[in-house]
Amino acid sequence: MDSQHPALPLIDTPSERLARAGYVIRTVILTRSPHMIRDRKYHLRTYRRCLVGTEMVDWLMQQSSFVHSRNQAVGMWQALLEEGVVTHVCHEHQFKDKYLFYRFREDDLGIGTVPNNNEKKECEDELQDTLVTLAQISPDAMMRMILRKPPTERTVDDLEIIYEELLHIKALSHLSTMVKRELASVLKFESHQKAGTVLFNQGDEGKSWYIILRGSVNVVIYGKGVVCTLHEGDDFGKLALVNDAPRAASIVLREDNCHFLRVDKDDFNRILRDVEANTVRLKEHGQDVLVLEKILTDRGQDGLPTHYKYSVMAGTPEKMLEHLLEAHIDKFNESDTFVEDFLLTHVVFMPSNQLAPALLSHYHAEASQGTEQEMADYLQNNKRRVIHLVLQWITIAGDAFKEDPTIATFSENLYRNMLEDCRTHESLKEELSAFEKVFNTSANNSELETPKRPLQRKKSITGLTDMMRRLPKEGSICNDSVRGAKRKTIKPTDENIFKVYCADHTYTTLRLPMDTKASVIAHHAAEKLCIGSDLALCEVKSTGERVVIKDNEVGVTSTLSLNGRLFIASREHLDALTPLPEQEGPTQGTSMVFELMSTKEVAYQMTLYDWELLNCVHEYELIYHTFGRHKFGKITCNLEMLLRRFNEVQFWVVTEMCLTNTLGKRVQLLRKFIKIAAYCKEYKNMNCFFAIVMGLSNIAVSRLSQTWEKLPSKFKRMFAEFETTLDPSRNHRVYRLEVAKMQPPIIPFMPLLMKDMTFTHEGNKTYFDGLVNFEKMHMIASTIRTIKYCRSEPFSVEPPPAVKNVQEVRAYVRNLSVVDNQRTLTQYSHKLEPRRS
């Protein structure tokens, strides 16, 4: 079916769901706008019972508030067209927002009828649900529409959309950016309707490489039968192309309506040739030390290439630093993110105790040849570049820069050298002034109220250290309307007071720094409790599940589940540990108090709290969390608190719904939660929005059919729209498109962001052939930049009208009490509304 014209349907008969959707929309159009479906003349030819593409888009946008753009409306019509529910009158075009004629299937077959009054009323009632369904599938339909175009007809925007899609396909995760962009221009779409279809047979010539977009296939080998099953995101057929060998197995469709991306052999080989031709390798002692990708940036009027740029693909840390100082630090280019990417990810491949001395070495480097003037210029430019890089490092690293003792020593040495060099190199005074200004500004912006004196050149080195300690704290909120004390960033040295329990539920209270290792906690707890040896720290969850904590883990208490507690026991008796009664959570809801609170004030206070939590997170914490805290010996407590908050809000929603015994009260509470979610979305608090909607989608709430039946239709539609945003298909494409249109400040959906980090980390090696895989660092840094962008503007949302109980609301949303045991919540749910026989 891959040779099929893109305007033709993918399947012979429409699915029941979309056939019904088309019937509903046609009936409502005939009811509300009957003039839209009529005979039309074009070039002396009459086309019966047809509509115009632009008018169809206009109409759809008028019917519902959640059809946000013409592009979205095009996707919704395309979803109908690719199943044959709507067709172009000449079967020549996909759906386009143009003066083109389309017909509904009934009219195209000549079996269209005029609906009666009962049918009209029925379809009017179904319209909003139908539009929600189409809105959910429209992004996928748009993607297929682009993929079904001949590669030569794809626009720049089309290629960018395909490239974004390829970023989230696990079979391609190890490929470089250049290869993915090349693939975007040659990939072809292929679909097959029937399970059992043989895509190719064992022994056939290898002509194509396939990636599964939808569905699954069986891999069959003669004499062995089915050896494995491949699913969405998997690939097959590449080996035969690489080795130029016959197919090693047969591929058989396991289910109906499977969709594939296909790369043909000629395109595959060309891409491999182009990649090698555009790869520049720098060698030392016969070994690669830097691998650069040559990228075309401009063409002349004759269409021939005129300008290229070189992007770092891989290298040794030292060589990448050298390249950065020589080729990037003084050449500002918005599209060149190498410097920022290097500084955001250096903790992975060149930690501070390696980067700091390397920078000092570059600062003192001298030219080995040249005239006296050339050598002096080289020396001066080298020093200037190092200073510029350090200033950027301070900006990007923030608190992490001032808290690292290695960096503190390095800064003292660099400052001392700069003072010395300014006596002989007058031109460095500007850099020295900038260096001093950074520390003075930082000191003046700190929360200390004592006046600060500007840094004098003859000031002692201790003075610089003092000012480093007064650098601004990450996470300060730029919103004067925050009512109450602001949350402060959790530091590694902050004292942490917590309890450690024994099997008999006796406990000891410890007071230790946040970055204390689990083995040290276990030692202190054992000493105070006077218990034996060979002990292990263990989290006991409310479900009774036990998770042994590794000895080298740090920031242990911040990683516990919502109602989890820390226990200690001998390793052979861990199975004797049981949850505390208090871990079950509340047995009564708070609806009596909660219903008196202003919905908008609750959403506002939740957003303020989430904004504080987001601003406390340092970018490096995302890396420590993804690559493993124990590898760095660093805490991720601020990030853990933000991720924990998501779970807390989600279970809070479920807990309150399941602990509200009266049906009427439950319906009111359901309405309130939907309204809070709407306000959170309005405040661009997508983390809280997702948490609430996912809480309402929890099986313990979604099964409360009596409650949902009594919910007014307006709120049902709102929730259906929210679920569209929640749709996880194509790696949450709907959400990503929506957030892409938002301006900061934004509180992003953090679990998805962390999933992106994990996907990049696990799908790509950090090193290959002894070189740092900087393509991976680019991708990691790109995700981190999302966080930077989201909080690049101060939180300046206008507070809701003042209410008397603001402090009560504030305290409530920051101290939620929840049941986090899914089994318990489901039991509560069944008590409220027993299963219908």
Side-chain angles (χ1 to χ4, degrees), residues 322-532:
E322 184 183 314
H323 176 71
L324 184 155
L325 289 167
E326 288 178 0
H328 292 268
I329 198 67
D330 286 335
K331 297 174 183 175
F332 176 75
N333 182 345
E334 260 187 38
S335 64
D336 181 8
T337 61
F338 178 54
V339 176
E340 186 181 25
D341 293 351
F342 185 96
L343 293 173
L344 281 173
T345 60
H346 79 88
V347 293
V348 175
F349 56 86
M350 197 178 197
S352 303
N353 60 358
Q354 294 173 22
L355 179 56
L359 283 170
L360 269 182
S361 177
H362 279 285
Y363 184 85
H364 292 299
E366 296 182 4
S368 56
Q369 56 186 23
T371 65
E372 190 176 326
Q373 184 59 48
E374 285 172 345
M375 291 171 73
D377 289 346
Y378 174 86
L379 190 68
Q380 188 170 297
N381 288 334
N382 229 28
K383 293 180 188 296
R384 183 181 289 115
R385 287 174 188 144
V386 170
I387 296 166
H388 287 178
L389 181 59
V390 172
L391 290 172
Q392 288 199 44
W393 190 10
I394 294 168
T395 304
I396 286 170
D399 271 8
F401 192 92
K402 74 174 178 98
E403 287 167 0
D404 190 324
T406 304
I407 298 178
T409 306
F410 159 72
S411 299
E412 300 290 2
N413 290 335
L414 181 62
Y415 183 63
R416 184 187 290 112
N417 287 314
M418 287 166 65
L419 288 173
E420 196 68 36
D421 290 337
C422 277
R423 296 173 186 169
T424 51
H425 300 281
E426 286 284 321
S427 60
L428 284 180
K429 287 183 178 178
E430 188 179 333
E431 275 69 30
L432 178 64
S433 175
F435 194 78
E436 292 173 345
K437 187 178 179 182
V438 166
F439 286 107
N440 274 323
T441 304
S442 300
N444 291 332
N445 284 344
S446 80
E447 294 179 1
L448 299 172
E449 293 184 6
T450 52
K452 313 296 183 303
R453 289 180 297 173
L455 176 64
Q456 301 298 325
R457 292 214 181 141
K458 292 186 180 178
K459 198 172 181 98
S460 69
I461 301 305
T462 312
L464 181 63
T465 307
D466 290 341
M467 284 194 294
M468 286 188 69
R469 291 185 187 125
R470 297 197 301 269
L471 278 168
K473 295 179 184 293
E474 290 285 320
S476 56
I477 300 179
C478 311
N479 181 21
D480 296 328
S481 66
V482 178
R483 305 164 198 179
K486 298 169 188 172
R487 184 178 185 84
K488 293 184 179 179
T489 304
I490 301 169
K491 308 292 184 186
T493 53
D494 286 353
E495 283 193 324
N496 183 22
I497 302 171
F498 57 97
K499 294 174 181 177
V500 181
Y501 293 86
C502 291
D504 62 358
H505 292 183
T506 57
Y507 65 87
T508 182
T509 303
L510 298 179
R511 184 174 186 150
L512 294 167
M514 285 300 306
D515 61 354
T516 305
K517 287 187 178 179
S519 57
V520 177
I521 294 174
H523 172 74
H524 281 278
E527 227 174 40
K528 289 189 74 174
L529 291 164
C530 302
I531 51 179

